[in-house]
Each structure stands twice: as C-alpha cells, then as structure tokens.
Amino acid sequence: MMHQQFEMGRSSELLKVVSWLCLVGGVCGIGANWGTQASHRLPPRTVVQMLKDNGIQKVKLFDAEDRTLSALAKTGIQVMVGIPNDMLAGLAADEKTAGRWVSKNVSKYINNGVDIRYVAVGNEPFLETYNGTFLRSTYPALQNIQAALIAAGLSNQVKVTVPLNADVYGSSSDKPSGGDFRTDIHDLMLSIVKFLNDNGAPFTVNIYPFISLYNDPNFPVDYAFFEGSPTPIVDGTITYSNVFDANHDTLIAALQKNGFGNVSIIVGEIGWPTDGDINANPLFAQRFNQGFMNHISNSNGTPLRPGPIDAYLFSLIDEDEKSVQPGNFERHWGIFAYDGSPKYQLNLRTASNSSTLIRAKDIKYLDRKWCVLKPSANLDDSEIAPSVSYACGKADCTSLGYKTSCGDLDVRGNISYAFNSYYQKNGQDDRACGFSGLATITEKDPSTTTCKFNIMIDVGSGTSWKTRTQMELSLNFFWYMVLPFTLALV
Ligand SMILES: *[C@@H]1O[C@H](CO)[C@@H](O)[C@H](O)[C@H]1NC(C)=O
Ligand SMILES: *[C@@H]1O[C@H](CO)[C@@H](O)[C@H](O)[C@H]1NC(C)=O
Ligand SMILES: *[C@@H]1O[C@H](CO)[C@@H](O)[C@H](O)[C@H]1NC(C)=O
Ligand SMILES: *[C@@H]1O[C@H](CO)[C@@H](O)[C@H](O)[C@H]1NC(C)=O
Ligand SMILES: *[C@@H]1O[C@H](CO)[C@@H](O)[C@H](O)[C@H]1NC(C)=O
C-alpha cells in the first residue's frame, strides 16, 4: 500500500511537470513506434540520432533486439520493449521462462543505461483475426512478467502493459458513453484491467481513424481529422467532432463502467499511412498527424479524460516486409520513408517547434541505377506475367494500384516498377535483373512526379539480408531456369 501511494504521488508530480512543460513551451513529449520489418534497415545508431534530432523522447519497440537496445543506451530516450505474440504461450507456461526474459531483455539493458519504462506483453493479442489464439496465454504471461520484474527489483521503474487494438471495446449506443468491453472477452479484459490497476500499470490502446475510413466507405471523412466535423456526435452534454476523442472516451467509459476509471492510458499507436490505398497519401497523413500533434499539444486531453495525452506515433519508418494482410497500406505508415527521409512537413511540437522533420544523417545509397523492362521487350511475352508476380511476391508492389503513388503508370511502367523493386531489394545484384532476359539495368531514373523508383540504401556487409539474398536468388534461379527446363522435359 505504502508503495502504491508513493508511486501515485510521484506520478502525479511527474504529470504536473509534463503539463507545465506542455503549457509553457508547447513542449509535450511524443513517442514513436520503431518497427524493424524492413529488408534494409537503417543502422540503429542512425535511427537514434534521428530520434534525438527530432526531439522524440520515447520509443515503443516490438521486441527486445540487442542492436536496437544497445543503441538506445545512455541516450535519455525512454523505451517500451515488446514481447511478440508467439512468445506468450511459453512465458505463460513457465515462470522461469519469464524470469529469463526479464533478466536478458530488461535487467541487462537497464544495467547498461537503457531507460526501459514499460514491457509490452504481446501486440494486439485479442485481434479478432487471430481467432482467439492468444486468449489463454496473454494474461498468465502478463502475470509472470510482472512477477519476474518484482523479483528483479524493477517493478517500480518498469511497468507492464498489453497494447490492445481498439476493437477490444465498443459502444452499445454508438456513443462514447455506451462504451464497454467486447462481450466475448469481457471477463478477461476485467481481469487484465484489474491487474494493471493493482500494479500501477497503464492500459495501452491503438486507435486508427484511418481504418475506420478504410473499412467503411460511408465514414464521414472530416470526422477522421481534427478540424471539426459537420456531423459531430452529441453525447449528452458532450459534442465529439473527431473520432479520436470519441474512440478514446469510449474506452474511458468502458473503464468507468467497470470501476476502473482512474487507470492511466497510453495511446500505443496512432498515425496515418501514405500509400497503398485511395485514402493513404501524404496529404491526408500530414493532415491527420499534424492535427493530432496540435490537438494534444495544449494538454486539454479528451472530454472524459482532461490532461496530457501520452502517445506513440505509428510509425517512425516504413517497413517493406510487413504483412499486407491488413491491406497494401501496411508498409507505408512511416513519417519517414525507408531511407529516413521525411515524407511531409510535420511539426512534432517539441522544444524546437520546428515545422519540418529532420532527415536521417549519413545515409549511404547503392549506385544510381535501376532495373527496368527492356524497351525492346514484347508485351505479349508469356514470361512477363509470371516474372511480375514473382517480383511482386518477393519484393514490394504495394505502391501499384488504384489511386496509389504509382497508380498512373502504364503497363510497361508497372512491369519496370516490379522488376526494380526486386532488384533493389536484392542489393542491386545483377542476377536479380534477369527475368528471362526481359529486364535491363539503366542509369536513367524511371521515376515520375508521384511515383518514386527507389534506390536501396547500403546497409553494409555482414548483415543477415545478404544470406537471405543468396537464398532468394537461388530460388529465383530455380523458378526461372530449373523449373521451365524440368517442365520442358516432362
Ligand atoms: C510554434 O510554431 C507555430 C507555427 O508553426 C506558431 O504558430 C506557434 O506559436 C509556435 N509555438 C511556440 C510555443 O513557439
Ligand atoms: C529476448 O528478446 C529477444 C528479442 O525479442 C528474443 O529473441 C529472446 O529470446 C529473448 N530472450 C529470452 C531469454 O527470452
Ligand atoms: C482464423 O479463421 C479463419 C476462418 O476459419 C481462417 O481463414 C484464418 O486463417 C484463421 N486465422 C488464424 C490466424 O488462425
Ligand atoms: C480515482 O481517483 C480519485 C482521486 O485520486 C479518487 O477520489 C477516486 O476514488 C478514484 N476512483 C477509483 C474508481 O479508484
Ligand atoms: C498496374 O498494376 C496495378 C497493380 O497490379 C494494376 O492495378 C493496374 O491496373 C496496372 N496498370 C496497368 C496500366 O496495367
């Protein structure tokens, strides 16, 4: 009890300091999600410098990778480390496993000067698309990690949490005040919330107005942003003119209804993608993210939860190897592109109040060359279709499609885009620009005003992609050389 009270006193002091900073300087901490599902990752030290240059004080990770954590040591940047969903069952089954995880992935780094504040146990484990796979393991894993943190003497400094998608709650009345947890996981959610509350830990929620728009073509576009809406939601005495506030307060109502109205909230992911869908473009992304930053910079909070909002932008950098199962936009959430270049102007409302993002420094690119369809190639060539689908399957064609950045390319442009994507992903290896003799290397940039044919960054040697490249090349060799030959024999 004493402990609990001390903790509460300290955090409310902290809260005051943060609000004061927010009010006086327009300075209010913003965090960023740093994911690493990219074929050519920026070096962690480069990313850390970029975080510092842009005044980003907190990062949320999806695992506890050594290179990333080591780069964060002694930087003053606060860290949320993550436990991937596929580790939950093991951690749930065995306290010792949880003890080892905490020892190797938390204690060790804290001792080396990494400012770890949170452990995210799982990532959106109750998403309906997972069919309940993680329903049984998440809560016991959470308990075991908390027990391990206590045993390690770290439970005051490091809090557990479970980043959840906003689909864990809903409203019976379509208004925030009708908020409650999803029926199928209601009891489980209450157990978890009680556990978080008892341990002074936050509830982490990911809120995605973009997905509301993506899933429902009739969703009022203005309501997704922060400039007021002609169709606000009137809920008793409160008028909601943006879906972020309404969604957030649906959670607050759900927590209040179940007796946990004081649990602190972290907005674990918030953002807007720039490509891969008609509503995913730099203009909308800038409008949303700048609107959000302005919205939280006055520390007014939301109608049901006044005060500073603790949020992590999703995301820092594009990741070209993310699953496109949610949609083609999934690889385009970064405020920075794959090479650490800003995609649009954004004032993060940090101390500098700079209206522009600062690009990653000292980025090395591969040579200025591209792989394209040979001008002499015949479009009726039967090898074209399988070549394109092979390239797109292995590399990234999510910028090709209706109303995307490369949606206006002609047929030849489309094919070239696919070939180049594969070639760059394979580090500009000559053998990755074969495609049955249909492709050729050019030094003339095929990019158009909206469609960028990327040049990959040079991540140096000794990294794992080289090995994978070899494997993929031999697979390519199999498909294009061995398989047709075998078929011809049959
Ligand atoms: C930050 O910059 C904006 C313009 O981009 C300006 O309107 C605002 O007053 C500035 N805020 C502070 C606290 O300097
Ligand atoms: C620590 O985290 C890494 C990265 O997520 C994981 O691969 C490793 O298994 C973890 N270590 C332990 C002892 O669980
Ligand atoms: C969930 O179930 C659906 C339908 O049975 C199936 O298509 C899908 O692959 C399942 N997803 C997972 C992650 O198990
Ligand atoms: C929430 O906090 C307030 C003030 O700290 C306290 O009076 C109230 O009882 C708390 N409510 C719950 C549900 O814990
Ligand atoms: C280019 O490719 C995209 C994605 O496969 C397709 O939707 C589009 O129709 C293609 N455009 C042309 C002109 O072939």
Tab-separated table of all heavy atoms in Angstrom, residues 378-407:
chain	number	residue	atom	x	y	z
A	378	ASN	N	8.624	-7.530	-75.837
A	378	ASN	CA	7.271	-7.618	-76.388
A	378	ASN	C	6.275	-7.849	-75.243
A	378	ASN	O	6.419	-8.787	-74.460
A	378	ASN	CB	7.229	-8.793	-77.368
A	378	ASN	CG	5.903	-8.886	-78.082
A	378	ASN	OD1	4.895	-8.320	-77.632
A	378	ASN	ND2	5.901	-9.606	-79.198
A	379	LEU	N	5.256	-7.009	-75.170
A	379	LEU	CA	4.306	-7.107	-74.054
A	379	LEU	C	3.495	-8.398	-74.094
A	379	LEU	O	2.856	-8.769	-73.118
A	379	LEU	CB	3.366	-5.900	-74.046
A	379	LEU	CG	3.978	-4.576	-73.565
A	379	LEU	CD1	2.964	-3.458	-73.632
A	379	LEU	CD2	4.530	-4.711	-72.151
A	380	ASP	N	3.519	-9.084	-75.232
A	380	ASP	CA	2.792	-10.359	-75.317
A	380	ASP	C	3.622	-11.546	-74.813
A	380	ASP	O	3.119	-12.673	-74.764
A	380	ASP	CB	2.389	-10.638	-76.779
A	380	ASP	CG	1.409	-9.603	-77.296
A	380	ASP	OD1	0.656	-9.060	-76.448
A	380	ASP	OD2	1.410	-9.320	-78.512
A	381	ASP	N	4.876	-11.252	-74.448
A	381	ASP	CA	5.751	-12.332	-73.976
A	381	ASP	C	5.122	-13.037	-72.774
A	381	ASP	O	4.744	-12.400	-71.789
A	381	ASP	CB	7.107	-11.730	-73.585
A	381	ASP	CG	8.171	-12.795	-73.412
A	381	ASP	OD1	7.889	-13.804	-72.724
A	381	ASP	OD2	9.274	-12.626	-73.961
A	382	SER	N	5.015	-14.364	-72.888
A	382	SER	CA	4.321	-15.113	-71.832
A	382	SER	C	5.102	-15.148	-70.521
A	382	SER	O	4.568	-15.540	-69.490
A	382	SER	CB	4.049	-16.540	-72.302
A	382	SER	OG	5.305	-17.181	-72.500
A	383	GLU	N	6.370	-14.751	-70.567
A	383	GLU	CA	7.170	-14.739	-69.338
A	383	GLU	C	6.881	-13.511	-68.473
A	383	GLU	O	7.299	-13.440	-67.321
A	383	GLU	CB	8.663	-14.763	-69.677
A	383	GLU	CG	9.158	-16.098	-70.208
A	383	GLU	CD	9.011	-17.224	-69.206
A	383	GLU	OE1	9.272	-16.989	-68.006
A	383	GLU	OE2	8.599	-18.332	-69.602
A	384	ILE	N	6.208	-12.513	-69.038
A	384	ILE	CA	6.030	-11.267	-68.306
A	384	ILE	C	5.178	-11.457	-67.046
A	384	ILE	O	5.591	-11.090	-65.944
A	384	ILE	CB	5.448	-10.150	-69.212
A	384	ILE	CG1	6.556	-9.685	-70.169
A	384	ILE	CG2	4.961	-8.974	-68.379
A	384	ILE	CD1	6.185	-8.498	-71.023
A	385	ALA	N	4.020	-12.044	-67.226
A	385	ALA	CA	3.113	-12.174	-66.075
A	385	ALA	C	3.750	-12.932	-64.903
A	385	ALA	O	3.750	-12.424	-63.774
A	385	ALA	CB	1.797	-12.815	-66.504
A	386	PRO	N	4.324	-14.132	-65.153
A	386	PRO	CA	4.950	-14.828	-64.021
A	386	PRO	C	6.138	-14.056	-63.433
A	386	PRO	O	6.353	-14.103	-62.213
A	386	PRO	CB	5.399	-16.175	-64.610
A	386	PRO	CG	5.310	-16.039	-66.084
A	386	PRO	CD	4.321	-14.965	-66.372
A	387	SER	N	6.865	-13.331	-64.268
A	387	SER	CA	8.008	-12.562	-63.755
A	387	SER	C	7.532	-11.465	-62.811
A	387	SER	O	8.095	-11.257	-61.740
A	387	SER	CB	8.789	-11.916	-64.901
A	387	SER	OG	9.296	-12.901	-65.758
A	388	VAL	N	6.487	-10.762	-63.239
A	388	VAL	CA	5.964	-9.686	-62.406
A	388	VAL	C	5.422	-10.251	-61.102
A	388	VAL	O	5.691	-9.723	-60.021
A	388	VAL	CB	4.864	-8.878	-63.152
A	388	VAL	CG1	4.108	-7.977	-62.199
A	388	VAL	CG2	5.483	-8.057	-64.278
A	389	SER	N	4.690	-11.346	-61.181
A	389	SER	CA	4.103	-11.835	-59.935
A	389	SER	C	5.192	-12.398	-59.018
A	389	SER	O	5.099	-12.272	-57.802
A	389	SER	CB	2.946	-12.804	-60.170
A	389	SER	OG	3.429	-14.000	-60.678
A	390	TYR	N	6.236	-12.941	-59.625
A	390	TYR	CA	7.362	-13.385	-58.789
A	390	TYR	C	8.015	-12.193	-58.087
A	390	TYR	O	8.218	-12.194	-56.870
A	390	TYR	CB	8.404	-14.120	-59.633
A	390	TYR	CG	9.576	-14.575	-58.822
A	390	TYR	CD1	9.506	-15.761	-58.097
A	390	TYR	CD2	10.732	-13.801	-58.720
A	390	TYR	CE1	10.563	-16.175	-57.301
A	390	TYR	CE2	11.800	-14.204	-57.924
A	390	TYR	CZ	11.706	-15.388	-57.226
A	390	TYR	OH	12.750	-15.789	-56.431
A	391	ALA	N	8.321	-11.143	-58.858
A	391	ALA	CA	8.979	-9.957	-58.298
A	391	ALA	C	8.118	-9.328	-57.207
A	391	ALA	O	8.602	-8.997	-56.122
A	391	ALA	CB	9.261	-8.944	-59.404
A	392	CYS	N	6.820	-9.207	-57.488
A	392	CYS	CA	5.936	-8.570	-56.510
A	392	CYS	C	5.773	-9.429	-55.262
A	392	CYS	O	5.649	-8.905	-54.153
A	392	CYS	CB	4.565	-8.277	-57.127
A	392	CYS	SG	4.639	-6.940	-58.350
A	393	GLY	N	5.794	-10.746	-55.459
A	393	GLY	CA	5.676	-11.637	-54.300
A	393	GLY	C	6.880	-11.543	-53.386
A	393	GLY	O	6.757	-11.619	-52.162
A	394	LYS	N	8.069	-11.359	-53.969
A	394	LYS	CA	9.298	-11.329	-53.174
A	394	LYS	C	9.647	-9.918	-52.717
A	394	LYS	O	10.294	-9.744	-51.681
A	394	LYS	CB	10.474	-11.851	-54.014
A	394	LYS	CG	10.392	-13.317	-54.332
A	394	LYS	CD	10.629	-14.138	-53.086
A	394	LYS	CE	10.416	-15.618	-53.352
A	394	LYS	NZ	10.373	-16.388	-52.106
A	395	ALA	N	9.280	-8.920	-53.511
A	395	ALA	CA	9.646	-7.547	-53.154
A	395	ALA	C	8.379	-6.782	-52.778
A	395	ALA	O	7.550	-7.320	-52.049
A	395	ALA	CB	10.406	-6.908	-54.299
A	396	ASP	N	8.204	-5.565	-53.274
A	396	ASP	CA	7.099	-4.753	-52.770
A	396	ASP	C	6.445	-3.961	-53.891
A	396	ASP	O	7.034	-3.025	-54.429
A	396	ASP	CB	7.640	-3.805	-51.693
A	396	ASP	CG	6.558	-2.918	-51.118
A	396	ASP	OD1	5.376	-3.320	-51.173
A	396	ASP	OD2	6.883	-1.840	-50.609
A	397	CYS	N	5.217	-4.341	-54.232
A	397	CYS	CA	4.479	-3.630	-55.283
A	397	CYS	C	3.267	-2.908	-54.701
A	397	CYS	O	2.296	-2.639	-55.409
A	397	CYS	CB	4.043	-4.599	-56.375
A	397	CYS	SG	5.431	-5.368	-57.238
A	398	THR	N	3.310	-2.592	-53.414
A	398	THR	CA	2.130	-2.004	-52.774
A	398	THR	C	1.892	-0.557	-53.193
A	398	THR	O	0.890	0.032	-52.803
A	398	THR	CB	2.239	-2.083	-51.242
A	398	THR	OG1	3.473	-1.473	-50.842
A	398	THR	CG2	2.201	-3.509	-50.749
A	399	SER	N	2.821	0.021	-53.960
A	399	SER	CA	2.584	1.375	-54.471
A	399	SER	C	1.966	1.345	-55.862
A	399	SER	O	1.799	2.385	-56.500
A	399	SER	CB	3.891	2.170	-54.510
A	399	SER	OG	4.415	2.279	-53.207
A	400	LEU	N	1.676	0.137	-56.367
A	400	LEU	CA	0.978	-0.007	-57.655
A	400	LEU	C	-0.467	-0.332	-57.325
A	400	LEU	O	-0.732	-1.233	-56.553
A	400	LEU	CB	1.556	-1.183	-58.457
A	400	LEU	CG	2.991	-1.102	-58.955
A	400	LEU	CD1	3.358	-2.430	-59.635
A	400	LEU	CD2	3.165	0.045	-59.920
A	401	GLY	N	-1.375	0.351	-57.911
A	401	GLY	CA	-2.773	0.042	-57.624
A	401	GLY	C	-3.607	1.286	-57.776
A	401	GLY	O	-3.070	2.391	-57.947
A	402	TYR	N	-4.902	1.120	-57.677
A	402	TYR	CA	-5.825	2.226	-57.902
A	402	TYR	C	-5.566	3.372	-56.925
A	402	TYR	O	-5.570	3.176	-55.724
A	402	TYR	CB	-7.260	1.706	-57.770
A	402	TYR	CG	-8.309	2.769	-57.997
A	402	TYR	CD1	-8.444	3.382	-59.235
A	402	TYR	CD2	-9.161	3.152	-56.964
A	402	TYR	CE1	-9.406	4.354	-59.444
A	402	TYR	CE2	-10.135	4.131	-57.159
A	402	TYR	CZ	-10.247	4.731	-58.409
A	402	TYR	OH	-11.193	5.697	-58.598
A	403	LYS	N	-5.308	4.564	-57.451
A	403	LYS	CA	-5.121	5.786	-56.663
A	403	LYS	C	-3.989	5.693	-55.643
A	403	LYS	O	-4.083	6.230	-54.539
A	403	LYS	CB	-6.423	6.165	-55.947
A	403	LYS	CG	-7.567	6.508	-56.888
A	403	LYS	CD	-7.520	7.954	-57.351
A	403	LYS	CE	-8.720	8.277	-58.241
A	403	LYS	NZ	-8.564	9.540	-58.947
A	404	THR	N	-2.922	4.963	-55.997
A	404	THR	CA	-1.737	4.966	-55.142
A	404	THR	C	-0.657	5.792	-55.850
A	404	THR	O	-0.888	6.283	-56.958
A	404	THR	CB	-1.239	3.527	-54.912
A	404	THR	OG1	-0.944	2.954	-56.181
A	404	THR	CG2	-2.280	2.687	-54.198
A	405	SER	N	0.527	5.908	-55.237
A	405	SER	CA	1.523	6.826	-55.799
A	405	SER	C	1.961	6.424	-57.207
A	405	SER	O	2.337	7.269	-58.008
A	405	SER	CB	2.732	6.941	-54.862
A	405	SER	OG	3.435	5.723	-54.816
A	406	CYS	N	1.920	5.121	-57.524
A	406	CYS	CA	2.338	4.671	-58.853
A	406	CYS	C	1.159	4.153	-59.664
A	406	CYS	O	1.334	3.408	-60.633
A	406	CYS	CB	3.427	3.607	-58.725
A	406	CYS	SG	4.904	4.233	-57.895
A	407	GLY	N	-0.025	4.519	-59.257
A	407	GLY	CA	-1.242	4.037	-59.911
A	407	GLY	C	-1.424	4.540	-61.335
A	407	GLY	O	-2.218	3.988	-62.092
